[in-house]
Amino acid sequence: MSFHETFRIKRFLAQKQKQNCPIPQWICMKTGNKIRYNSKRKHWRRTNLGLQGVPHVKAPRITFHQVH
């Protein structure tokens, strides 16, 4: 029954893709600029979706250390 499993994954990914967009400009105007950006946006390389059953590789974070 892997056919149903892949459709569930595809539907999940489609939902996340739809959610990953900036807010419309009229919302900024309606709220008096209290809501300025979509806080739930994700970067494709920095954030995992936490999807079970799909192999994922998280990219290493690059950190800059100050030299003393």
Side-chain angles (χ1 to χ4, degrees):
M1 294 290 248
S2 65
F3 170 75
H4 300 297
E5 192 73 16
T6 56
F7 179 70
R8 285 181 60 198
I9 291 172
K10 189 172 183 179
R11 192 175 59 190
F12 176 82
L13 293 173
Q15 176 70 26
K16 292 298 179 183
Q17 190 174 14
K18 287 184 212 171
Q19 287 176 346
N20 194 29
C21 62
I23 62 168
Q25 286 297 314
W26 63 268
I27 292 181
C28 291
M29 293 162 46
K30 181 182 177 183
T31 59
N33 218 9
K34 288 186 187 246
I35 300 175
R36 295 182 182 175
Y37 61 93
N38 182 3
S39 60
K40 293 185 177 180
R41 287 199 76 173
K42 66 170 195 61
H43 189 262
W44 66 273
R45 196 164 197 164
R46 282 192 301 258
T47 311
N48 283 333
L49 293 174
L51 196 58
Q52 297 296 324
V54 177
H56 61 277
V57 177
K58 189 165 184 175
R61 288 218 170 171
I62 300 172
T63 58
F64 297 100
H65 298 287
Q66 291 180 345
V67 179
H68 293 284

